[in-house]
C-alpha cells in the first residue's frame, strides 16, 4: 500500500488522458494572451501598497533594487514552470508535474495546496475588491445598504471616516466571484479577452502615473539612495534591501497561474515560456519604474504607517484625477487577479 503512494504517472499516459474525448480543452491562447494572463495575475493592489511598506521600513529609495532581487528569485521559479509547462502541456500545473516526477502522494498534497491557493486567494481578493468598490461608490455619493456591504464579522473604514459594520452579507464580493465564474464557463477565449481589457486599463493607469510623475520627482528624495543601516538587520542598508525583496516578492505571486492554461495554448512549447517569463519581465520593469517615481515624489519616511502610500505620492503630482484612477486601477487589478485565480482553480 505504501508503495502505491509513490506511483508516478508516465508522460505518455498523461498526454493520452488529456486527449481523450471529454478531457480536451480548446487551444485558443497565443503568446500575447498568456503574457496578459500573467500580468493579470501579478499586478494587483500589492504594487500600490507593498512598495511603500518596503521603502519606509526596509530599503528606502533602494526599494527598486529590492524589486530586481525579488524578480531574479521569481525568474528561477519561472524557468522551472516554463520547462515543465512546455514539456507537459496539460492543465494541472504543479499537480501534474509532481504526479509525473514525485508520485501520487506528493501530487495529492500539491493539488490541495493549489485548491487553497486559488480558491481562498480569489475569495480574499474579492473581499478587498468589495472594499475598494465601496470607496469608489462613496466618492460619488452612492451608499450601499449596510446589510449588503459587509459580513457580520467585517468592519470597513472608508477614507472619509465612514465606518461600515454589522452587515449580513458581503454581496459585492459574492457577485463579482459569481460573474467571473460565469464568464469562465462561457470559455477561455472570452475570458482571455476580458482579462486583456482589464490589463490594458490598469497598465494605462500605471504608465500615466510614471509618465506624469516623472517630471515632479525631487532628486533630494533619493539622498541617500541606500539609507544607512540603523543597527537592526532588516532596517535599511543592504540587509534592508534583502528584507525589502522578501516583502515585495508577494507582488510577483501569480505568474505560476499561467502554467494552468498550458492545455489551451496553441503552441505550448513556444508560447508557455514566453507567457511565464515575458509577464515577469514586463511586470519587473513597471515595478521598478513605479517604485522609482513613487520614492522620488515623496520622502520614503512619509510612507511609514501609511495605508495608501501610492495615493500619498499621487497627491504630489497635482493631478486630482489620478486619485480616482488609482481606485479604478486597483479594482481592475483585483478583477483580473480573481479571473486568473478562478481560471487556475478550474484547471
Amino acid at each position: 500500500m505504501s508503495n502505491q503512494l509513490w506511483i508516478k504517472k508516465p508522460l505518455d499516459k498523461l498526454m493520452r488522458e488529456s486527449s481523450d474525448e471529454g478531457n480536451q480543452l480548446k487551444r485558443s491562447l497565443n503568446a500575447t494572451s498568456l503574457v496578459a494572463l500573467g500580468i493579470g495575475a501579478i499586478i494587483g493592489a500589492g504594487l500600490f501598497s507593498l512598495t511603500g511598506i518596503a521603502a519606509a521600513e526596509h530599503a528606502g529609495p533602494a526599494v527598486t533594487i529590492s524589486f530586481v532581487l525579488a524578480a531574479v528569485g521569481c525568474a528561477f521559479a519561472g524557468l522551472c514552470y516554463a520547462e515543465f509547462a512546455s514539456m507537459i502541456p496539460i492543465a494541472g500545473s504543479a499537480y501534474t508535474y509532481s504526479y509525473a516526477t514525485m508520485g501520487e502522494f506528493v501530487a495529492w498534497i500539491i493539488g490541495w495546496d493549489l485548491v487553497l491557493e486559488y480558491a481562498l486567494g480569489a475569495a480574499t481578493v474579492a473581499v478587498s475588491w468589495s472594499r475598494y468598490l465601496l470607496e469608489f461608490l462613496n466618492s460619488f455619493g452612492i451608499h450601499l445598504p449596510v446589510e449588503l456591504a459587509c459580513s457580520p464579522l467585517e468592519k470597513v473604514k472608508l477614507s472619509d471616516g465612514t465606518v461600515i459594520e454589522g452587515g449580513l452579507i458581503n454581496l459585492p464580493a459574492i457577485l463579482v466571484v459569481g460573474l467571473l465564474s460565469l464568464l469562465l464557463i462561457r470559455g477561455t477565449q472570452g475570458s482571455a479577452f476580458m482579462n486583456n481589457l482589464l490589463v490594458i486599463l490598469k497598465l494605462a493607469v500605471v504608465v500615466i502615473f510614471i509618465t506624469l510623475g516623472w517630471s515632479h520627482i525631487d532628486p533630494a528624495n533619493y539622498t541617500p539612495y541606500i539609507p544607512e543601516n540603523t543597527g537592526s538587520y532588516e532596517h535599511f542598508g543592504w540587509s534592508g534591501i534583502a528584507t525589502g525583496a522578501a516583502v515585495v516578492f508577494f507582488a510577483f505571486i501569480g505568474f505560476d497561474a499561467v502554467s494552468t492554461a498550458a492545455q489551451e495554448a496553441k503552441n505550448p512549447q513556444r508560447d508557455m515560456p514566453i507567457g511565464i517569463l515575458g509577464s515577469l519581465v514586463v511586470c519587473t520593469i513597471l515595478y521598478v519604474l513605479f517604485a522609482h517615481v513613487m520614492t522620488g515624489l515623496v520622502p520614503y519616511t512619509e510612507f511609514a504607517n501609511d495605508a495608501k502610500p501610492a495615493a500619498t505620492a499621487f497627491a504630489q503630482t497635482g493631478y486630482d484625477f489620478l486619485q480616482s484612477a488609482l481606485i479604478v486601477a486597483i479594482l481592475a487589478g483585483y478583477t483580473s487577479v480573481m479571473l486568473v485565480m478562478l481560471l487556475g482553480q478550474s484547471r
Side-chain angles (χ1 to χ4, degrees):
M1 178 68 177
S2 60
N3 290 335
Q4 298 231 342
L5 294 176
W6 307 104
I7 290 178
K8 301 173 185 177
K9 185 171 285 191
L11 290 181
D12 58 343
K13 186 175 182 180
L14 285 169
M15 300 296 290
R16 188 168 60 252
E17 288 179 352
S18 67
S19 60
D20 289 346
E21 186 175 352
N23 294 334
Q24 296 177 346
L25 293 172
K26 185 178 180 181
R27 295 193 177 276
S28 57
L29 301 177
N30 56 26
T32 303
S33 298
L34 292 170
V35 170
L37 278 177
I39 296 174
I42 295 171
I43 297 184
L47 171 63
F48 305 105
S49 59
L50 293 179
T51 304
I53 294 172
E57 299 180 5
H58 304 292
V63 67
T64 52
I65 303 177
S66 296
F67 272 113
V68 174
L69 288 177
V72 171
C74 288
F76 285 110
L79 285 169
C80 295
Y81 271 103
E83 178 70 21
F84 274 116
S86 57
M87 184 174 64
I88 313 175
I90 301 172
S93 185
Y95 166 77
T96 302
Y97 311 150
S98 57
Y99 209 155
T101 58
M102 290 180 283
E104 186 172 314
F105 179 65
V106 175
W108 182 82
I109 295 174
I110 295 296
W112 279 108
D113 285 343
L114 291 174
V115 168
L116 291 172
E117 176 188 353
Y118 293 134
L120 295 183
T124 303
V125 171
V127 173
S128 295
W129 182 93
S130 173
R131 292 180 179 180
Y132 277 101
L133 178 67
L134 293 177
E135 185 83 47
F136 185 69
L137 294 176
N138 190 58
S139 65
F140 291 97
I142 302 174
H143 308 284
L144 294 180
V146 174
E147 294 80 6
L148 305 179
C150 62
S151 64
L153 301 179
E154 190 178 2
K155 182 178 180 179
V156 182
K157 184 176 181 180
L158 303 181
S159 58
D160 64 354
T162 303
V163 176
I164 302 175
E165 61 179 327
L168 296 176
I169 188 173
N170 192 332
L171 189 60
I174 294 174
L175 287 178
V176 71
V177 171
L179 290 174
L180 292 176
S181 299
L182 290 174
L183 178 63
L184 286 167
I185 289 172
R186 296 198 60 180
T188 303
Q189 191 168 9
S191 304
F193 176 74
M194 180 65 179
N195 180 69
N196 291 345
L197 293 179
L198 293 170
V199 167
I200 291 172
L201 176 60
K202 64 182 177 181
L203 288 186
V205 174
V206 173
V207 171
I208 288 173
F209 170 70
I210 294 171
T211 304
L212 297 181
W214 199 276
S215 60
H216 292 79
I217 288 176
D218 182 359
N221 292 330
Y222 296 132
T223 305
Y225 195 74
I226 302 179
E228 187 177 350
N229 185 268
T230 61
S232 176
Y233 175 76
E234 68 224 17
H235 294 295
F236 308 111
W238 283 102
S239 65
I241 291 174
T243 305
V247 172
V248 301
F249 174 83
F250 290 98
F252 286 95
I253 289 178
F255 65 88
D256 59 300
V258 179
S259 63
T260 64
Q263 199 168 331
E264 291 152 282
K266 292 180 179 180
N267 185 355
Q269 282 71 29
R270 179 181 69 91
D271 295 343
M272 291 310 297
I274 293 175
I276 294 172
L277 299 177
S279 58
L280 267 176
V281 170
V282 171
C283 291
T284 300
I285 293 173
L286 290 175
Y287 280 3
V288 170
L289 291 175
F290 188 91
H292 180 73
V293 172
M294 189 170 160
T295 54
L297 289 173
V298 179
Y300 69 90
T301 52
E302 292 191 18
F303 295 136
N305 301 315
D306 189 344
K308 296 182 179 180
T312 301
F314 277 28
Q316 299 300 312
T317 65
Y319 299 103
D320 294 336
F321 73 91
L322 282 176
Q323 299 296 333
S324 296
L326 170 63
I327 297 180
V328 172
I330 291 176
L331 285 172
Y334 273 148
T335 305
S336 61
V337 168
M338 285 186 286
L339 183 63
V340 179
M341 292 295 104
L342 291 171
L343 171 67
Q345 168 67 37
S346 61
R347 297 305 179 266

